[in-house]
Amino acid sequence: MRQKVIGILGGMGPAATSELFTRIINNTAAEMDQEHVNMVIINDPQIPDRLAYILENGISPIPKLQENLKRLSLAGAEVAVIPCMTAHSFIKELNKTSPIPIINAISLVEEFIQKYYPHYNKIGLLATDGSIGSKVFQRYISKDIVVPDNINQQEVMAIIYGKDGIKAGNVSEQVSDRIKKITDRLKKEKAEAVIAGCTELGLVMNEEKVQMPVIDPITILAKKVVEIGNNYVATIKR
């Protein structure tokens, strides 16, 4: 089977795009340059804010996303992936006009859960207000989703977007400690695992820190890219 060129529709944010690229490289069993995945990356931070559009009727990001999908195709990409989970709220609409197929990272999360945690009933979710409001994870995941209460959701947003948040470059131990307080609350709501539902959260969340299974969409997506781009079935570990 011929290897496919993968297009990364990025810039939402740049750190998430870089992290996906890094994890694709780290999950590729390569001994030379030529054995890595062939990728085209668009890092466009001028895409209108997804959160503002979903919650505040801001400028739609969809036209810019559609434009960038066409640019990826013209550059040679045959399959597209999107590091931003909130942008998956628009994936059905994007697929209607996209010249290349888009891999749905949240559907991959559902496959992962069914494979490794089929008997879990409730899964916690830390994500942006946009993803929570659009219920994009609930569209594709069959388990009961447990989200933070209003106060803790405000804290999630501060951790991601605050002046000392992850998007501002803060991936310190203090951020991890703040996240653990929220996941501890989700445990009390009977969550048996937690999804790092914003790519930036995956930079600071792991099972050792939060002391419960962490489902990381960006790692799952990276392994799928390796599989498609290199004809290599990666082993996704719990």
Side-chain angles (χ1 to χ4, degrees), residues 52-154:
Y53 176 66
I54 292 171
L55 298 181
E56 302 172 7
N57 199 28
I59 299 172
S60 173
I62 294 173
K64 193 70 171 175
L65 292 169
Q66 291 171 326
E67 175 188 331
N68 285 339
L69 284 165
K70 292 177 182 177
R71 290 171 63 196
L72 285 173
S73 178
L74 290 171
E78 299 167 276
V79 179
V81 294
I82 306 174
C84 175
M85 297 302 108
T86 306
H88 279 68
S89 302
F90 320 117
I91 200 164
K92 285 187 177 180
E93 187 165 355
L94 293 174
N95 268 320
K96 292 178 182 177
T97 60
S98 177
I100 54 178
I102 306 168
I103 301 300
N104 188 328
I106 302 178
S107 291
L108 296 179
V109 171
E110 166 68 2
E111 293 175 13
F112 180 89
I113 293 170
Q114 291 302 328
K115 181 175 182 178
Y116 292 110
Y117 304 113
H119 302 300
Y120 282 14
N121 295 313
K122 292 188 176 184
I123 305 292
L125 172 65
L126 299 188
T128 66
D129 286 352
S131 292
I132 298 294
S134 70
K135 296 186 181 297
V136 63
F137 281 85
Q138 286 87 336
R139 292 181 206 169
Y140 302 103
I141 294 176
S142 57
K143 303 292 186 180
D144 287 342
I145 299 293
V146 182
V147 300
D149 59 23
N150 288 337
I151 293 175
N152 281 296
Q153 182 59 30
Q154 290 176 22

Side-chain angles (χ1 to χ4, degrees), residues 110-206:
E110 166 68 2
E111 293 175 13
F112 180 89
I113 293 170
Q114 291 302 328
K115 181 175 182 178
Y116 292 110
Y117 304 113
H119 302 300
Y120 282 14
N121 295 313
K122 292 188 176 184
I123 305 292
L125 172 65
L126 299 188
T128 66
D129 286 352
S131 292
I132 298 294
S134 70
K135 296 186 181 297
V136 63
F137 281 85
Q138 286 87 336
R139 292 181 206 169
Y140 302 103
I141 294 176
S142 57
K143 303 292 186 180
D144 287 342
I145 299 293
V146 182
V147 300
D149 59 23
N150 288 337
I151 293 175
N152 281 296
Q153 182 59 30
Q154 290 176 22
E155 174 69 351
V156 171
M157 291 298 290
I159 288 169
I160 300 169
Y161 288 98
K163 65 178 182 179
D164 294 321
I166 301 170
K167 282 185 177 288
N170 183 6
V171 292
S172 67
E173 196 69 29
Q174 287 77 12
V175 173
S176 297
D177 291 341
R178 291 167 67 187
I179 289 173
K180 186 178 184 301
K181 291 178 181 179
I182 301 171
T183 56
D184 284 347
R185 181 62 187 174
L186 294 180
K187 288 179 189 178
K188 292 181 179 179
E189 299 296 325
K190 307 301 182 183
E192 298 164 277
V194 61
I195 299 169
C198 174
T199 310
E200 280 78 11
L201 291 172
L203 301 176
V204 294
M205 287 179 66
N206 60 51

Side-chain angles (χ1 to χ4, degrees), residues 29-46:
E31 296 180 356
M32 60 183 70
D33 292 347
Q34 290 75 17
E35 293 177 347
H36 280 277
V37 178
N38 192 345
M39 287 180 278
V40 178
I41 301 173
I42 289 180
N43 185 64
D44 184 359
Q46 302 307 316

